[in-house]
Amino acid sequence: MAGFLSGVKRLYLTIYNWTVFVGWLQVFYLAVKTLKESGHEHVYSAVEKPLLLAQSAAVLEIIHGLVGLVRSPVSATLPQIGSRLYVTWGILWSFPEVRTHVLVSSLVISWSITEIIRYSFFGTKEALGSAPSWLLWLRYSTFLLLYPSGITSEVGLIYIALPYIKESGKYSVLMPNKWNFSFDDYYAALSVLGVYVPGSPHMYTYMLGQRKKALSKSKKE
């Protein structure tokens, strides 16, 4: 019975990883194609649907960690996925004014390359039991450049959206109301920016540690 459940788990994770891989591959292809043919102003409109689907699918990774399907700590997974979902839905989807900025292109390309490598690595590992050394190296090395470029794009887009967030008050809840509750989306965005300051170096250091551990283990094997 345990062997059967293990097989079902591996099959599910294989299908999940390769399905999301296809989504990010589509995002990357459309982004590069649009950049070449139409310019950065049109990148978001070209990638919107696959981007929303592929990034939203990452919510399942939090659930995977919570129920023990994967060993990744939720404490590391949650802030990464949460920040990306905020930028995807709370900034890009919510405020069209920022969609034509060049940072959207750097964001989408940084995210998509990272995820194409990551999902193909885990998809191969689940399907075959291991991944080739070159894919392992890419999985734990490309973030050295792509994480800073992605984070810079995220922070930049949130900052650019601040005037539009403040002016629209789209998600703000003002007093008085029947719930006796208030929420200011503008100050929430400022708070998110504040979290990026200590959070980004911490996450980068964590990933450096994961890289050292993973590559050292592969050399021993």
mmCIF file of all heavy atoms in Angstrom, residues 14 31-32 46 48 57 86 89 111-112 117 132-133 135-136 150 159-160 164 180 185 195-196 203-204 216:
data_model
loop_
_atom_site.group_PDB
_atom_site.id
_atom_site.type_symbol
_atom_site.label_atom_id
_atom_site.label_comp_id
_atom_site.label_asym_id
_atom_site.label_seq_id
_atom_site.Cartn_x
_atom_site.Cartn_y
_atom_site.Cartn_z
ATOM 1 N N THR A 14 4.904 14.644 -10.896
ATOM 2 C CA THR A 14 5.465 14.683 -12.247
ATOM 3 C C THR A 14 4.546 15.450 -13.188
ATOM 4 O O THR A 14 4.990 16.349 -13.925
ATOM 5 C CB THR A 14 5.676 13.259 -12.796
ATOM 6 O OG1 THR A 14 6.602 12.551 -11.957
ATOM 7 C CG2 THR A 14 6.229 13.293 -14.219
ATOM 8 N N ALA A 31 6.876 36.224 -24.512
ATOM 9 C CA ALA A 31 7.571 37.443 -24.098
ATOM 10 C C ALA A 31 8.689 37.798 -25.073
ATOM 11 O O ALA A 31 8.811 38.951 -25.511
ATOM 12 C CB ALA A 31 8.132 37.275 -22.687
ATOM 13 N N VAL A 32 9.512 36.815 -25.413
ATOM 14 C CA VAL A 32 10.635 37.055 -26.322
ATOM 15 C C VAL A 32 10.130 37.415 -27.717
ATOM 16 O O VAL A 32 10.635 38.346 -28.362
ATOM 17 C CB VAL A 32 11.558 35.815 -26.377
ATOM 18 C CG1 VAL A 32 12.627 35.988 -27.451
ATOM 19 C CG2 VAL A 32 12.216 35.583 -25.023
ATOM 20 N N ALA A 46 0.550 40.109 -24.153
ATOM 21 C CA ALA A 46 0.834 38.845 -24.839
ATOM 22 C C ALA A 46 0.912 37.666 -23.867
ATOM 23 O O ALA A 46 0.522 36.549 -24.199
ATOM 24 C CB ALA A 46 2.138 38.957 -25.623
ATOM 25 N N GLU A 48 -0.310 37.625 -20.555
ATOM 26 C CA GLU A 48 -1.189 37.725 -19.387
ATOM 27 C C GLU A 48 -1.831 36.401 -18.983
ATOM 28 O O GLU A 48 -1.719 35.969 -17.821
ATOM 29 C CB GLU A 48 -2.290 38.762 -19.625
ATOM 30 C CG GLU A 48 -3.202 38.915 -18.412
ATOM 31 C CD GLU A 48 -4.281 39.969 -18.622
ATOM 32 O OE1 GLU A 48 -4.792 40.073 -19.763
ATOM 33 O OE2 GLU A 48 -4.597 40.675 -17.655
ATOM 34 N N ALA A 57 -0.805 28.720 -10.156
ATOM 35 C CA ALA A 57 -0.647 27.284 -9.890
ATOM 36 C C ALA A 57 0.358 27.033 -8.772
ATOM 37 O O ALA A 57 0.336 25.981 -8.135
ATOM 38 C CB ALA A 57 -0.203 26.563 -11.165
ATOM 39 N N TYR A 86 1.341 38.666 -5.279
ATOM 40 C CA TYR A 86 0.997 40.074 -5.049
ATOM 41 C C TYR A 86 1.340 40.920 -6.274
ATOM 42 O O TYR A 86 0.531 41.747 -6.712
ATOM 43 C CB TYR A 86 1.726 40.608 -3.823
ATOM 44 C CG TYR A 86 1.473 42.083 -3.593
ATOM 45 C CD1 TYR A 86 0.237 42.531 -3.142
ATOM 46 C CD2 TYR A 86 2.465 43.029 -3.859
ATOM 47 C CE1 TYR A 86 -0.013 43.887 -2.950
ATOM 48 C CE2 TYR A 86 2.226 44.383 -3.674
ATOM 49 C CZ TYR A 86 0.989 44.808 -3.224
ATOM 50 O OH TYR A 86 0.751 46.150 -3.047
ATOM 51 N N TRP A 89 -1.116 39.645 -9.339
ATOM 52 C CA TRP A 89 -2.526 40.014 -9.248
ATOM 53 C C TRP A 89 -2.733 41.413 -8.652
ATOM 54 O O TRP A 89 -3.574 42.182 -9.140
ATOM 55 C CB TRP A 89 -3.279 38.985 -8.394
ATOM 56 C CG TRP A 89 -3.455 37.676 -9.078
ATOM 57 C CD1 TRP A 89 -2.694 36.543 -8.903
ATOM 58 C CD2 TRP A 89 -4.438 37.333 -10.048
ATOM 59 N NE1 TRP A 89 -3.147 35.521 -9.705
ATOM 60 C CE2 TRP A 89 -4.217 35.981 -10.417
ATOM 61 C CE3 TRP A 89 -5.486 38.038 -10.651
ATOM 62 C CZ2 TRP A 89 -5.014 35.327 -11.359
ATOM 63 C CZ3 TRP A 89 -6.285 37.382 -11.586
ATOM 64 C CH2 TRP A 89 -6.048 36.044 -11.937
ATOM 65 N N TRP A 111 11.458 35.583 -14.281
ATOM 66 C CA TRP A 111 10.600 34.563 -13.686
ATOM 67 C C TRP A 111 10.526 33.320 -14.561
ATOM 68 O O TRP A 111 10.658 32.193 -14.065
ATOM 69 C CB TRP A 111 9.190 35.114 -13.501
ATOM 70 C CG TRP A 111 9.011 35.992 -12.303
ATOM 71 C CD1 TRP A 111 9.967 36.406 -11.421
ATOM 72 C CD2 TRP A 111 7.771 36.566 -11.861
ATOM 73 N NE1 TRP A 111 9.395 37.212 -10.462
ATOM 74 C CE2 TRP A 111 8.063 37.322 -10.705
ATOM 75 C CE3 TRP A 111 6.467 36.517 -12.337
ATOM 76 C CZ2 TRP A 111 7.058 38.020 -10.010
ATOM 77 C CZ3 TRP A 111 5.480 37.215 -11.651
ATOM 78 C CH2 TRP A 111 5.775 37.952 -10.499
ATOM 79 N N SER A 112 10.299 33.509 -15.852
ATOM 80 C CA SER A 112 10.052 32.351 -16.728
ATOM 81 C C SER A 112 11.288 31.478 -16.890
ATOM 82 O O SER A 112 11.181 30.242 -16.850
ATOM 83 C CB SER A 112 9.522 32.805 -18.095
ATOM 84 O OG SER A 112 10.425 33.672 -18.741
ATOM 85 N N ILE A 117 13.512 26.163 -15.666
ATOM 86 C CA ILE A 117 14.583 25.316 -15.128
ATOM 87 C C ILE A 117 14.098 24.561 -13.899
ATOM 88 O O ILE A 117 14.320 23.346 -13.767
ATOM 89 C CB ILE A 117 15.821 26.170 -14.790
ATOM 90 C CG1 ILE A 117 16.433 26.733 -16.073
ATOM 91 C CG2 ILE A 117 16.859 25.343 -14.019
ATOM 92 C CD1 ILE A 117 17.484 27.804 -15.838
ATOM 93 N N PRO A 132 19.799 15.079 -14.367
ATOM 94 C CA PRO A 132 21.190 15.164 -14.824
ATOM 95 C C PRO A 132 21.937 16.287 -14.128
ATOM 96 O O PRO A 132 21.346 17.290 -13.711
ATOM 97 C CB PRO A 132 21.052 15.415 -16.332
ATOM 98 C CG PRO A 132 19.666 15.918 -16.535
ATOM 99 C CD PRO A 132 18.840 15.303 -15.469
ATOM 100 N N SER A 133 23.247 16.132 -14.033
ATOM 101 C CA SER A 133 24.071 17.085 -13.285
ATOM 102 C C SER A 133 23.991 18.500 -13.863
ATOM 103 O O SER A 133 24.021 19.480 -13.120
ATOM 104 C CB SER A 133 25.526 16.609 -13.245
ATOM 105 O OG SER A 133 26.028 16.439 -14.564
ATOM 106 N N LEU A 135 21.445 19.907 -15.272
ATOM 107 C CA LEU A 135 20.178 20.517 -14.872
ATOM 108 C C LEU A 135 20.210 20.890 -13.393
ATOM 109 O O LEU A 135 19.663 21.925 -12.997
ATOM 110 C CB LEU A 135 19.027 19.548 -15.167
ATOM 111 C CG LEU A 135 17.595 20.088 -15.042
ATOM 112 C CD1 LEU A 135 17.406 21.355 -15.869
ATOM 113 C CD2 LEU A 135 16.586 19.020 -15.451
ATOM 114 N N LEU A 136 20.865 20.061 -12.608
ATOM 115 C CA LEU A 136 21.063 20.371 -11.192
ATOM 116 C C LEU A 136 21.853 21.671 -11.037
ATOM 117 O O LEU A 136 21.501 22.537 -10.234
ATOM 118 C CB LEU A 136 21.801 19.230 -10.492
ATOM 119 C CG LEU A 136 22.176 19.449 -9.029
ATOM 120 C CD1 LEU A 136 20.946 19.351 -8.140
ATOM 121 C CD2 LEU A 136 23.228 18.447 -8.576
ATOM 122 N N GLY A 150 14.950 39.686 -11.009
ATOM 123 C CA GLY A 150 13.529 39.519 -10.724
ATOM 124 C C GLY A 150 13.068 40.391 -9.574
ATOM 125 O O GLY A 150 12.033 41.065 -9.653
ATOM 126 N N TYR A 159 6.742 50.089 -6.800
ATOM 127 C CA TYR A 159 7.004 51.521 -6.596
ATOM 128 C C TYR A 159 6.305 52.363 -7.666
ATOM 129 O O TYR A 159 5.692 53.401 -7.357
ATOM 130 C CB TYR A 159 8.509 51.774 -6.627
ATOM 131 C CG TYR A 159 8.877 53.225 -6.444
ATOM 132 C CD1 TYR A 159 8.861 53.806 -5.176
ATOM 133 C CD2 TYR A 159 9.225 54.024 -7.542
ATOM 134 C CE1 TYR A 159 9.180 55.155 -5.005
ATOM 135 C CE2 TYR A 159 9.541 55.370 -7.376
ATOM 136 C CZ TYR A 159 9.524 55.921 -6.106
ATOM 137 O OH TYR A 159 9.834 57.247 -5.947
ATOM 138 N N ILE A 160 6.384 51.933 -8.912
ATOM 139 C CA ILE A 160 5.754 52.663 -10.017
ATOM 140 C C ILE A 160 4.226 52.693 -9.861
ATOM 141 O O ILE A 160 3.566 53.655 -10.241
ATOM 142 C CB ILE A 160 6.142 52.017 -11.368
ATOM 143 C CG1 ILE A 160 7.631 52.247 -11.642
ATOM 144 C CG2 ILE A 160 5.301 52.562 -12.514
ATOM 145 C CD1 ILE A 160 8.194 51.340 -12.709
ATOM 146 N N TYR A 164 -0.852 55.190 -8.554
ATOM 147 C CA TYR A 164 -2.124 54.679 -9.058
ATOM 148 C C TYR A 164 -2.908 53.972 -7.949
ATOM 149 O O TYR A 164 -4.139 54.049 -7.902
ATOM 150 C CB TYR A 164 -1.879 53.734 -10.232
ATOM 151 C CG TYR A 164 -1.016 54.340 -11.306
ATOM 152 C CD1 TYR A 164 0.272 53.857 -11.557
ATOM 153 C CD2 TYR A 164 -1.471 55.416 -12.061
ATOM 154 C CE1 TYR A 164 1.074 54.424 -12.540
ATOM 155 C CE2 TYR A 164 -0.676 56.001 -13.047
ATOM 156 C CZ TYR A 164 0.600 55.492 -13.267
ATOM 157 O OH TYR A 164 1.388 56.072 -14.227
ATOM 158 N N ASN A 180 -16.600 47.700 10.961
ATOM 159 C CA ASN A 180 -15.734 48.486 11.838
ATOM 160 C C ASN A 180 -14.262 48.151 11.567
ATOM 161 O O ASN A 180 -13.464 47.919 12.492
ATOM 162 C CB ASN A 180 -16.071 48.210 13.310
ATOM 163 C CG ASN A 180 -15.513 49.292 14.227
ATOM 164 O OD1 ASN A 180 -15.412 50.459 13.837
ATOM 165 N ND2 ASN A 180 -15.136 48.923 15.448
ATOM 166 N N ASP A 185 -4.850 50.217 0.876
ATOM 167 C CA ASP A 185 -4.014 49.458 -0.049
ATOM 168 C C ASP A 185 -2.677 50.148 -0.313
ATOM 169 O O ASP A 185 -1.662 49.500 -0.552
ATOM 170 C CB ASP A 185 -4.767 49.246 -1.372
ATOM 171 C CG ASP A 185 -4.108 48.210 -2.258
ATOM 172 O OD1 ASP A 185 -3.442 47.304 -1.720
ATOM 173 O OD2 ASP A 185 -4.254 48.304 -3.488
ATOM 174 N N VAL A 195 9.096 45.064 3.472
ATOM 175 C CA VAL A 195 9.457 43.672 3.721
ATOM 176 C C VAL A 195 10.548 43.205 2.758
ATOM 177 O O VAL A 195 11.404 42.389 3.107
ATOM 178 C CB VAL A 195 8.212 42.760 3.603
ATOM 179 C CG1 VAL A 195 8.606 41.288 3.641
ATOM 180 C CG2 VAL A 195 7.227 43.076 4.713
ATOM 181 N N TYR A 196 10.526 43.742 1.530
ATOM 182 C CA TYR A 196 11.533 43.357 0.543
ATOM 183 C C TYR A 196 12.948 43.710 1.001
ATOM 184 O O TYR A 196 13.904 43.013 0.667
ATOM 185 C CB TYR A 196 11.262 44.062 -0.792
ATOM 186 C CG TYR A 196 10.383 43.291 -1.744
ATOM 187 C CD1 TYR A 196 9.015 43.515 -1.794
ATOM 188 C CD2 TYR A 196 10.922 42.343 -2.607
ATOM 189 C CE1 TYR A 196 8.195 42.821 -2.674
ATOM 190 C CE2 TYR A 196 10.123 41.642 -3.492
ATOM 191 C CZ TYR A 196 8.757 41.882 -3.524
ATOM 192 O OH TYR A 196 7.953 41.187 -4.394
ATOM 193 N N MET A 203 16.535 35.831 1.763
ATOM 194 C CA MET A 203 16.181 34.754 0.837
ATOM 195 C C MET A 203 17.360 34.398 -0.068
ATOM 196 O O MET A 203 17.596 33.224 -0.359
ATOM 197 C CB MET A 203 14.974 35.175 -0.005
ATOM 198 C CG MET A 203 14.415 34.070 -0.890
ATOM 199 S SD MET A 203 13.893 32.598 0.044
ATOM 200 C CE MET A 203 12.513 33.281 0.971
ATOM 201 N N TYR A 204 18.113 35.405 -0.471
ATOM 202 C CA TYR A 204 19.281 35.169 -1.329
ATOM 203 C C TYR A 204 20.328 34.348 -0.575
ATOM 204 O O TYR A 204 20.907 33.406 -1.121
ATOM 205 C CB TYR A 204 19.871 36.505 -1.778
ATOM 206 C CG TYR A 204 20.842 36.406 -2.930
ATOM 207 C CD1 TYR A 204 20.391 36.140 -4.219
ATOM 208 C CD2 TYR A 204 22.211 36.590 -2.734
ATOM 209 C CE1 TYR A 204 21.267 36.061 -5.286
ATOM 210 C CE2 TYR A 204 23.101 36.510 -3.792
ATOM 211 C CZ TYR A 204 22.621 36.246 -5.064
ATOM 212 O OH TYR A 204 23.499 36.161 -6.126
ATOM 213 N N SER A 216 27.413 20.254 -3.353
ATOM 214 C CA SER A 216 28.365 19.433 -2.597
ATOM 215 C C SER A 216 27.889 17.987 -2.567
ATOM 216 O O SER A 216 28.682 17.059 -2.717
ATOM 217 C CB SER A 216 28.481 19.959 -1.166
ATOM 218 O OG SER A 216 29.028 21.254 -1.149
#
